[in-house]
Amino acid sequence: MSVSDLDPFWVKARAEFLAQGSTAADASACGTCRSLAEAGKPVEHDGCAQRATLLHAPDHPHYEILAGFSLEENAKLPARFHVPVFDDCGKPNLWLCAVCQEEGVVTGWPCATATKYGTQVFTPHHTAETAQQKQQAGTVAMTDAIAKAVAALRDMQAVEPDHVKAAALYEIEMGLRHAAGTQNEVAS
């Protein structure tokens, strides 16, 4: 303990804070505590108090996706993905970054990205939902572009000669690449 931890002012402030109790009830709280919380009063039972829960962002990449990238690439992911996860299998147990990993290598938390961006790691849920909606909109745009390309291909196969088909196929492919954000040509 530090000297400031023993300062009478802080000892009193901590005791008052702990005595107040939470004014938010957990979903599984008893009826008494739920009604107290609805009235804006502290819950009666410690087990009924709502506690903070660390959730991954809705668009957080799955472990299988992360495993295919290097540690440097994973470190460049947005700060909201660099949340702590508890490793209770390792010796000693420790907190690891959810995304700073590659085959055989893990990074303790806070990782360099979490340290650099601080509170941005703990993204408000609505911000993460917005990012997920943008991702879904991009998926819809790609699906539409593919559907248009398939329709154009079917129309072309029915009426065009082969040399015209090849040029049109190239245009369709480039349109799809443009929609995907990759204009690089495929080497034949």
Side-chain angles (χ1 to χ4, degrees):
M1 289 188 120
S2 69
V3 174
S4 64
D5 288 340
L6 300 176
D7 184 305
F9 172 80
W10 291 113
V11 170
K12 181 181 175 192
R14 277 193 305 274
E16 288 173 358
F17 175 76
L18 292 172
Q20 278 181 340
S22 175
T23 57
D26 188 68
S28 62
C30 69
T32 303
C33 290
R34 279 198 309 260
S35 61
L36 286 171
E38 288 172 7
K41 297 179 182 175
V43 294
E44 188 174 320
H45 309 107
D46 287 339
C48 293
Q50 184 176 26
R51 292 182 171 38
T53 304
L54 180 62
L55 301 174
H56 288 281
D59 57 341
H60 194 281
H62 293 282
Y63 171 77
E64 293 83 14
I65 294 171
L66 295 170
F69 296 101
S70 71
L71 191 59
E72 292 80 23
E73 291 170 319
N74 288 346
K76 293 177 187 174
L77 290 170
R80 70 178 180 276
F81 299 146
H82 292 267
V83 294
V85 291
F86 187 69
D87 176 20
D88 59 350
C89 295
K91 297 283 185 203
N93 299 148
L94 41 99
W95 288 95
L96 303 172
C97 178
V99 295
C100 288
Q101 56 186 309
E102 64 181 349
E103 189 173 333
V105 178
V106 292
T107 303
W109 196 87
C111 62
T113 304
T115 303
K116 179 179 179 182
Y117 292 103
T119 59
Q120 291 179 18
V121 170
F122 304 105
T123 308
H125 194 67
H126 70 277
T127 305
E129 286 176 337
T130 303
Q132 185 179 29
Q133 289 167 349
K134 287 179 183 176
Q135 185 179 21
Q136 289 171 344
T139 303
V140 168
M142 280 298 296
T143 303
D144 289 346
I146 290 170
K148 288 177 185 175
V150 168
L153 180 60
R154 285 189 182 134
D155 292 344
M156 180 182 54
Q157 285 176 333
V159 294
E160 299 292 337
D162 287 341
H163 69 284
V164 175
K165 286 180 190 175
L169 284 173
Y170 177 78
E171 291 300 319
I172 290 171
E173 178 184 357
M174 292 311 293
L176 288 172
R177 289 179 176 280
H178 180 71
T182 58
Q183 284 88 20
N184 300 337
E185 291 187 41
V186 177
S188 317

